[in-house]
Amino acid sequence: MANPSNTKDAWRMWSGVVAWAGFPALHGLWMLADWSLRDPALPMSGGIPNSVTSAFQGASLIGFAILIFASLGRVRLLPLRLLITLVAVSIGAGGMILGWLSYVIHNGIDTL
């Protein structure tokens, strides 16, 4: 990565890093918290309620989109910036869906 020349460039760079690194880490911590609230012998019981988890997932995707959009501050064409953000959020949402499906299937949680 290039050395940021001013605070705006540094903020843009870190918002991208936080989005791409923080998004999976945050979901991993959420899964860990959900699993710690469940009885491993009966994984269907306990855990964080599905409605709360769904709200968390939606809010994290919105936060991810905002951080990605902010990290693209050097892209001056708004339609291009929105397109890149849409592609990034699609990749993030796909990864999130696959991660959560893997978590649910591998731990025997039948919430689908």
Side-chain angles (χ1 to χ4, degrees):
M1 273 188 227
N3 189 11
S5 60
N6 60 31
T7 55
K8 271 187 176 180
D9 286 340
W11 191 84
R12 285 183 195 130
M13 180 184 70
W14 282 110
S15 66
V17 169
V18 167
W20 286 109
F23 182 71
L26 192 61
H27 281 268
L29 288 173
W30 190 274
M31 289 177 206
L32 185 63
D34 181 67
W35 186 251
S36 69
L37 295 172
R38 294 181 186 273
D39 180 8
L42 300 167
M44 293 291 297
S45 61
I48 299 171
N50 291 340
S51 59
V52 176
T53 298
S54 295
F56 164 74
Q57 291 170 338
S60 70
L61 276 176
I62 291 169
F64 180 75
I66 291 169
L67 286 171
I68 291 297
F69 187 80
S71 73
L72 298 170
R74 287 187 172 236
V75 179
R76 297 293 178 211
L77 294 171
L78 186 60
L80 180 60
R81 194 172 173 186
L82 290 171
L83 178 65
I84 294 170
T85 302
L86 179 65
V87 169
V89 170
S90 298
I91 292 168
M96 179 187 74
I97 290 168
L98 290 175
W100 278 96
L101 280 175
S102 175
Y103 168 71
V104 167
I105 291 168
H106 287 98
N107 290 314
I109 304 167
D110 186 20
T111 59
L112 303 174

